[in-house]
Amino acid sequence: MVRTGGHSIGLGNPPRQVLLALDSRFRLEPEEREALARAARDASPGEWEEVIEEALFRWTAGVLCHHLREAGVEPPAALQEEYNRVALEAVMAEAELRRLAPALARAGARVLLIKGAALKPLVYRNPGLRPADDSDWVVRSREDWEAAARALEALGYAGPGGEWEGFWERGEFVVELHRSALGDERIQARLPAAALGAVDAEVWARARPSPLGEGFLVPAPEDHLLILCAHLMKHNMEPGIWFTDLEALLASSPGFDWEAALSRARAWGLLRPLAYALRGLGAAGERPFGAPAIALPPAAGRALAEVRPTRLDRALLALAGRSTRLRGEKEEWERPPVANLLWLSSQPGPVAKLRLLGEAAFPRHEVMRQIYPGYRPALRGWYLLRRAAGLLRLAVRLAGRAGRS
């Protein structure tokens, strides 16, 4: 992994490794584009096939297509097709959000956009880079949820029939409503009890207008970074578009307040996800090949260096970083699902750790509805048995993989 000169960067690394090291980068330096072009020329058809499959799985095929074009390389047809698909969907999604904004404003609904829905118009600009299968909205109160639901229904959306959370669909466009500013109610169960109300109150208090229209807000950059890190923890710290989001947000926030971000991470119980995400990005500790050049203030670097992974965490992070998939599992288990185990080291004491494992294995009703669309509380016993069987099968497969490693 040589980094001593522009023409030597990446030499010695297989073409597949170079291509997949740079496929999730938001922005490449000139010497990195040279390394990418060299790897693209040297890659065999078999290596290209592996790279395309992995980039599609990581949601970074559009990003890789863009970087190859900037490096003067004609991207493979499959990457171009994915770039064009993502761009078309992004343009249509933005148009739909702009159509919805006045109706939400008239209904008096306040909606916070997070993750891809917030980042695409703010930091990506190029519509072919950031895919999304839904638009994540956060509403703060029952009144806002009802107002948003009325506006969506009036504009032709089909909803979940009065549920507090759920998906609203109109054609191919999907809106997912959340109550938590962190975006996924499962993450709430991993936070200290004292942080639960504070997170939502503080994120909403600092929210800013979105360029998509009056009905929408977006989080402050420091808050959004923590939301993205918590989301990345949910995605097992695996390679992919989630790291592109982090780099894009930081690259587009020149006045980023690291002191504020660290203070909130400590208060909200998200310091470990922040540290692990930034280490995966190469922004804390040694900068591996393919990592972006993100300069942390010395105080922030020292604070993150104090978050030391446990022995278990180091093994889990190494497992998560491998580009190997569990074939035949549902999508969220195709990568080794280590997220719940990574949260263990953030829990104070054995009782809290056991409570987290119990909730993760057999979650409450609203989370079970997200996992199993046909879930009904009256049939909880059946679904718990179904989940237990799936977890047992998964554990056996992971144990076999660990043994072979």
Side-chain angles (χ1 to χ4, degrees):
M1 299 183 183
V2 183
R3 299 195 64 84
T4 55
H7 294 286
S8 61
I9 184 172
L11 284 178
N13 294 326
R16 176 189 182 279
Q17 183 178 336
V18 174
L19 291 165
L20 290 177
L22 299 174
D23 76 326
S24 60
R25 286 289 306 281
F26 176 64
R27 187 176 296 153
L28 295 183
E29 301 297 330
E31 63 270 20
E32 291 171 323
R33 284 197 292 271
E34 292 178 19
L36 186 74
R38 186 169 56 246
R41 290 192 298 268
D42 294 344
S44 67
E47 287 176 310
W48 266 118
E49 185 176 345
E50 292 178 4
V51 167
I52 291 169
E53 181 185 13
E54 183 66 17
L56 288 168
F57 185 77
R58 294 181 181 187
W59 281 21
T60 54
V63 178
L64 180 56
C65 180
H66 168 74
H67 290 328
L68 287 169
R69 285 171 173 163
E70 287 210 320
V73 176
E74 180 72 7
L79 295 183
Q80 295 189 51
E81 290 171 7
E82 177 66 3
Y83 177 92
N84 293 336
R85 184 193 70 80
V86 171
L88 177 61
E89 289 188 357
V91 170
M92 294 174 65
E94 180 171 336
E96 180 65 3
L97 287 171
R98 291 185 181 279
R99 183 180 81 97
L100 291 170
L104 290 169
R106 287 194 300 270
R110 294 196 310 160
V111 170
L112 183 74
L113 298 177
I114 59 171
K115 299 185 288 190
L119 292 172
K120 284 193 286 188
L122 280 174
V123 301
Y124 276 101
R125 311 295 170 86
N126 183 328
L129 301 185
R130 179 51 162 91
D133 53 10
D134 58 35
S135 183
D136 287 288
W137 296 13
V138 181
V139 290
R140 189 174 184 183
S141 66
R142 168 72 69 174
E143 291 73 24
D144 280 336
W145 189 93
E146 291 174 349
R150 286 195 301 271
L152 288 168
E153 196 167 18
L155 290 171
Y157 281 76
E163 295 287 353
W164 166 252
E165 64 276 328
F167 291 88
W168 288 77
E169 300 176 86
R170 180 178 180 272
E172 297 297 317
F173 192 72
V174 178
V175 170
E176 185 174 3
L177 292 181
H178 300 281
R179 289 173 289 172
S180 167
L182 294 174
D184 191 314
E185 286 66 32
R186 282 171 280 190
I187 295 174
Q188 289 181 305
R190 282 95 178 121
L191 302 186
L196 295 181
V199 173
D200 286 335
E202 293 178 25
V203 171
W204 278 100
R206 289 186 287 263
R208 305 171 180 188
S210 165
L212 293 177
E214 184 183 353
F216 295 119
L217 301 170
V218 295
E222 297 78 13
D223 294 334
H224 210 176
L225 178 69
L226 298 181
I227 293 169
L228 295 173
C229 289
H231 187 65
L232 183 50
M233 191 81 140
K234 175 196 165 187
H235 280 279
N236 311 307
M237 293 289 163
E238 67 190 35
I241 197 68
W242 329 115
F243 282 106
T244 319
D245 288 345
L246 297 180
E247 183 187 353
L249 178 66
L250 292 173
S252 305
S253 306
F256 191 88
D257 189 340
W258 281 104
E259 183 178 349
L262 285 166
S263 175
R264 294 167 202 172
R266 292 189 184 97
W268 298 352
L270 291 174
L271 187 59
R272 194 167 292 270
L274 174 65
Y276 289 175
L278 290 178
R279 282 175 180 166
L281 196 66
E286 183 180 352
R287 181 187 170 200
F289 169 69
I294 296 175
L296 293 177
R302 288 192 297 270
L304 294 173
E306 292 173 1
V307 181
R308 302 192 180 280
T310 65
R311 182 179 300 177
L312 174 62
D313 285 357
R314 286 196 296 271
L316 294 172
L317 291 169
L319 182 63
R322 296 175 189 161
S323 295
T324 51
R325 293 161 62 182
L326 293 170
R327 305 290 179 176
E329 298 291 344
K330 60 182 181 177
E331 183 178 352
E332 66 179 292
W333 286 357
E334 283 191 300
R335 289 274 193 251
V338 300
N340 288 316
L341 297 177
L342 282 171
W343 282 104
L344 281 179
S345 51
S346 300
Q347 305 302 308
V351 174
K353 295 181 192 299
L354 288 172
R355 186 183 300 117
L356 183 147
L357 287 176
E359 190 279 335
F362 307 114
R364 56 194 184 276
H365 294 308
E366 58 267 31
V367 176
M368 289 291 277
R369 275 197 294 267
Q370 295 175 7
I371 299 171
Y372 301 107
Y375 176 81
R376 295 291 182 272
L379 298 175
R380 181 172 175 83
W382 158 248
Y383 281 98
L384 291 182
L385 286 173
R386 180 177 167 185
R387 183 161 174 81
L391 289 170
L392 180 61
R393 184 190 68 248
L394 178 66
V396 170
R397 295 195 67 183
L398 288 176
R401 171 172 291 188
R404 289 192 298 272
S405 299

